């Protein structure tokens, strides 16, 4: 019995995925879908397109166009991020800068977004966070130094995790603990 080769199922014509116009349209749709959920940085979108296998030239073309029409704006993103995370999560400047760096925002843009936060504003926010936490805590006997130190360490740790400087956090906790004890005496 003679065997004949099977006809090839692949054609020499380009597949729809090789068409640059179609790929650009798909990349644009991916970006628009991601931007519908929340604002994103250019670097985040670039990473998502790379993860999905889009060539760099298509990604740059699509991202440039989205930037041109105002759908991608890293400066606006950074300002909104700082405002939201400071207000809702109580983050300090260091933590905010780290979060923005992780999202691919340039250092100059980060500096501009954080410029509005001065040391007094940061201290005021830290005091508010400690006060809010202390109101929910049960303060033990003021003579129990171990319990007092444990509470202070926990509060300083909370502020440190949110990006506040340790020396300022320790000072704020000491003052606010004393204020809360005085308030509860009355």
């Amino acid at each position: 019995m003679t065997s004949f080769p099977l006809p090839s199922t692949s054609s020499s014509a380009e597949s729809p995925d090789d068409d640059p116009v179609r790929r650009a349209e798909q990349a644009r749709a991916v970006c628009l879908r991601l931007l519908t959920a929340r604002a994103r940085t250019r670097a985040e979108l670039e990473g998502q397109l790379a993860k999905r296998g889009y060539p760099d030239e298509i990604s740059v073309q699509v991202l440039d166009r989205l930037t041109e029409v105002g759908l991608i704006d890293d400066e606006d993103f950074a300002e909104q991020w700082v405002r939201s995370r400071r207000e809702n999560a109580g983050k300090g400047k260091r933590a905010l800068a780290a979060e923005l760096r992780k999202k691919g925002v340039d250092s100059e843009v980060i500096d501009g977004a954080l410029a509005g936060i001065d040391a007094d504003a940061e201290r005021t926010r830290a005091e508010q966070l400690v006060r809010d936490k202390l109101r929910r805590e049960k303060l033990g006997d003021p003579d129990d130094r171990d319990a007092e130190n444990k509470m202070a360490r926990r509060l300083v740790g909370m502020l440190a995790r949110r990006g506040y400087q340790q020396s300022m956090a320790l000072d704020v906790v000491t003052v606010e603990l004393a204020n809360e004890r005085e308030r509860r005496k009355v």
Side-chain angles (χ1 to χ4, degrees), residues 28-152:
R28 186 176 78 67
V30 166
C31 290
L32 291 175
R33 193 170 47 253
L34 289 169
L35 288 168
T36 300
R38 70 167 174 85
R40 295 180 191 268
T41 64
R42 182 181 177 103
E44 285 180 300
L45 293 172
E46 197 173 296
Q48 287 295 320
L49 291 176
K51 188 169 92 174
R52 288 172 169 80
Y54 288 96
D56 288 343
E57 38 305 329
I58 289 177
S59 296
V60 168
Q61 172 192 354
V62 168
L63 295 174
D64 285 347
R65 178 65 182 145
L66 291 174
T67 301
E68 186 180 311
V69 297
L71 292 175
I72 302 174
D73 184 351
D74 283 357
E75 289 178 12
D76 185 52
F77 175 88
E79 289 171 13
Q80 288 180 26
W81 185 266
V82 166
R83 186 174 37 256
S84 172
R85 299 290 286 165
R86 257 183 68 73
E87 186 177 311
N88 298 325
K91 296 288 184 169
K93 285 175 84 168
R94 282 190 337 197
L96 292 168
E99 289 176 353
L100 288 171
R101 267 192 303 279
K102 187 176 179 182
K103 293 194 169 296
V105 178
D106 290 335
S107 295
E108 302 85 41
V109 175
I110 292 171
D111 293 343
L114 296 175
I117 304 172
D118 62 355
D120 290 338
E122 192 162 21
R123 183 179 181 93
T124 301
R125 184 65 175 125
E127 289 169 349
Q128 181 185 10
L129 289 168
V130 171
R131 259 185 253 121
D132 291 347
K133 187 75 169 172
L134 280 174
R135 296 258 158 79
R136 296 185 304 261
E137 293 290 326
K138 179 181 177 203
L139 296 180
D141 180 22
D143 295 328
D144 185 0
R145 299 307 296 161
D146 287 340
E148 184 92 9
N149 289 339
K150 182 178 179 182
M151 171 83 61

